[in-house]
């Protein structure tokens, strides 16, 4: 049975460490951690979660994008576990858009990211996958990858004026969508 995990909050040193590679993808402990992360990210209305956010300094994250109360306009994507992920290519173009983080609750920031990336990762079945992402999913990948490097989105802001509180952001987004 999967368990709901505690989410580390900004200030905890685990969020600032470089996470270590997973050597044995078939290890049952790795699989039970992944099951727990899947439950935890869904319960928290996240669109992604990285192992350091649940106090495990391992190179694993999950992308599970879907519309939810924290991200009303997120695209739908089957939850995908990525082990030992790498960014193997990136577009020169960057764009700024809003991000939040389960370890920094209540805050949103306008973060510059590469628009498109080529990545590789090992799946929970132990297969190496190479693929490309653009837009929101590319953004989530870069955000989660940063967690494995001990980086949070606040580190990437161009200005502290690009920070807003989630409550105001939700109002802003609702207005933007009703105009569009
Ligand atoms: Zn985060």
């Amino acid at each position: 049975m999967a368990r709901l995990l505690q989410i580390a909050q900004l200030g905890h040193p685990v969020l600032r460490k470089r996470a270590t590679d997973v050597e044995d993808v078939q290890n049952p402990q790795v699989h039970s951690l992944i099951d727990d992360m899947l439950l935890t990210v869904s319960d928290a209305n996240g669109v992604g979660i990285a192992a350091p956010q649940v106090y495990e300094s391992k190179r694993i994250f999950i992308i599970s994008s879907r519309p939810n109360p924290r991200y009303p306009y997120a695209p739908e994507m089957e939850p995908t576990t990525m082990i030992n992920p790498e960014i193997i290519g990136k577009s020169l173009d960057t764009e700024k858009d809003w991000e939040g983080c389960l370890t920094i609750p209540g805050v949103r920031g306008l973060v510059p990211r590469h628009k498109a990336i080529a990545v590789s990762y090992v799946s929970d079945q132990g297969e190496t996958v190479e693929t490309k992402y653009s837009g929101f999913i590319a953004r989530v990948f870069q955000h989660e990858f940063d967690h494995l490097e001990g980086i949070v989105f606040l580190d990437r802001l161009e200005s502290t004026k690009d920070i807003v509180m989630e409550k105001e952001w939700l109002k802003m987004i609702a207005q933007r969508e009703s105009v569009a």
Side-chain angles (χ1 to χ4, degrees):
M1 272 287 279
R3 299 169 309 144
L4 266 185
L5 301 172
Q6 293 280 338
I7 297 174
Q9 304 288 283
L10 186 63
H12 194 285
V14 71
L15 296 169
R16 292 309 195 172
K17 266 172 70 177
R18 186 177 188 278
T20 54
D21 282 331
V22 177
E23 306 285 350
D24 178 10
V25 173
Q26 304 305 339
N27 184 322
Q29 280 176 357
V30 168
H31 281 269
S32 106
L33 171 63
I34 290 167
D35 288 345
D36 294 348
M37 286 170 64
L38 283 164
L39 179 67
T40 303
V41 71
S42 155
D43 178 76
N45 287 319
V47 291
I49 195 166
Q53 293 183 277
V54 293
Y55 302 93
E56 292 279 354
S57 195
K58 294 190 169 76
R59 299 186 82 79
I60 304 173
F61 59 68
I62 289 163
I63 296 181
S64 65
S65 176
R66 65 195 160 87
N68 68 48
R70 284 183 70 244
Y71 291 95
Y73 305 103
E76 198 84 46
M77 174 175 162
E78 198 59 30
T80 306
T81 301
M82 301 183 180
I83 302 167
N84 300 336
E86 298 287 351
I87 297 176
I88 55 182
K90 39 193 157 186
S91 65
L92 293 177
D93 288 7
T94 60
E95 65 187 343
K96 280 164 78 170
D97 209 343
W98 294 103
E99 295 183 21
C101 184
L102 295 174
T103 56
I104 311 169
V107 176
R108 294 296 163 124
L110 260 185
V111 186
R113 298 283 186 192
H114 298 281
K115 278 189 186 174
I117 51 173
V119 307
S120 75
Y121 63 88
V122 176
S123 75
D124 53 1
Q125 305 299 315
E127 287 157 353
T128 300
V129 178
E130 285 194 14
T131 188
K132 290 176 179 169
Y133 295 116
S134 60
F136 187 79
I137 303 296
R139 176 169 296 279
V140 176
F141 189 105
Q142 291 170 82
H143 177 117
E144 300 309 332
F145 186 82
D146 273 355
H147 277 303
L148 307 185
E149 299 292 304
I151 296 168
V152 298
F153 78 86
L154 295 177
D155 303 333
R156 298 211 178 263
L157 296 179
E158 288 172 355
S159 163
T160 48
K161 290 180 180 161
D162 287 339
I163 302 175
V164 299
M165 301 312 289
E166 185 168 291
K167 204 175 148 192
E168 293 299 325
W169 176 80
L170 285 168
K171 282 195 243 168
M172 196 189 307
I173 290 294
Q175 275 170 13
R176 191 165 82 178
E177 291 300 316
S178 65
V179 170

